[in-house]
């Protein structure tokens, strides 16, 4: 209940800032993964090393996609609540 009381006190401006920061962070992570993927395929390496790096980057990219999906679902709930409040 303590966490919920802190949530209620958060302003819409603070929530908007968190949303903006989260979007920037997710975009930065996606760009970093893309850059790592590009660098991972440079140079001469054994097929096993290439396969390992590809698998690790695939896992990281999949994790980021799941985090982004969760964020989008939570944001949709927030938007729905705002719309519902305006209807009342």
């Amino acid at each position: 209940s303590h966490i919920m009381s802190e949530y209620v006190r958060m302003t819409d401006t603070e929530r908007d800032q968190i949303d903006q920061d989260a979007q920037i962070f997710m975009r930065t992570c996606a760009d970093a993964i893309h850059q790592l993927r590009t660098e991972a395929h440079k140079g001469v390496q054994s097929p096993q090393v290439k396969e390992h790096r590809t698998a690790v980057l695939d896992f990281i990219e999949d994790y980021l996609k799941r985090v982004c999906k969760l964020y989008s679902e939570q944001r949709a709930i927030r938007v729905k609540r705002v719309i519902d409040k305006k209807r009342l």
Side-chain angles (χ1 to χ4, degrees), residues 43-52:
V44 178
Q45 300 140 356
S46 71
Q48 186 178 12
V49 170
K50 284 185 179 182
E51 186 176 333
H52 173 73

Side-chain angles (χ1 to χ4, degrees), residues 4-81:
M4 194 60 171
S5 66
E6 291 295 321
Y7 175 76
V8 174
R9 292 182 188 154
M10 189 180 293
T11 66
D12 286 337
T13 303
E14 290 170 325
R15 288 184 188 105
D16 291 340
Q17 184 62 49
I18 290 170
D19 283 344
Q20 184 179 13
D21 292 345
Q23 289 175 354
I24 291 168
F25 183 74
M26 288 183 288
R27 196 173 312 117
T28 301
C29 289
D31 291 344
I33 292 168
H34 177 72
Q35 185 178 12
L36 282 171
R37 194 175 295 280
T38 300
E39 290 176 17
H41 293 111
K42 288 182 181 176
V44 178
Q45 300 140 356
S46 71
Q48 186 178 12
V49 170
K50 284 185 179 182
E51 186 176 333
H52 173 73
R53 288 181 180 177
T54 298
V56 169
L57 289 168
D58 288 346
F59 175 76
I60 293 170
E61 188 173 48
D62 181 61
Y63 184 79
L64 178 61
K65 286 179 184 179
R66 288 185 278 138
V67 169
C68 291
K69 181 181 177 195
L70 180 62
Y71 164 77
S72 295
E73 290 169 355
Q74 290 176 342
R75 185 153 186 227
I77 291 169
R78 177 178 166 225
V79 169
K80 183 181 181 302
R81 285 181 183 164

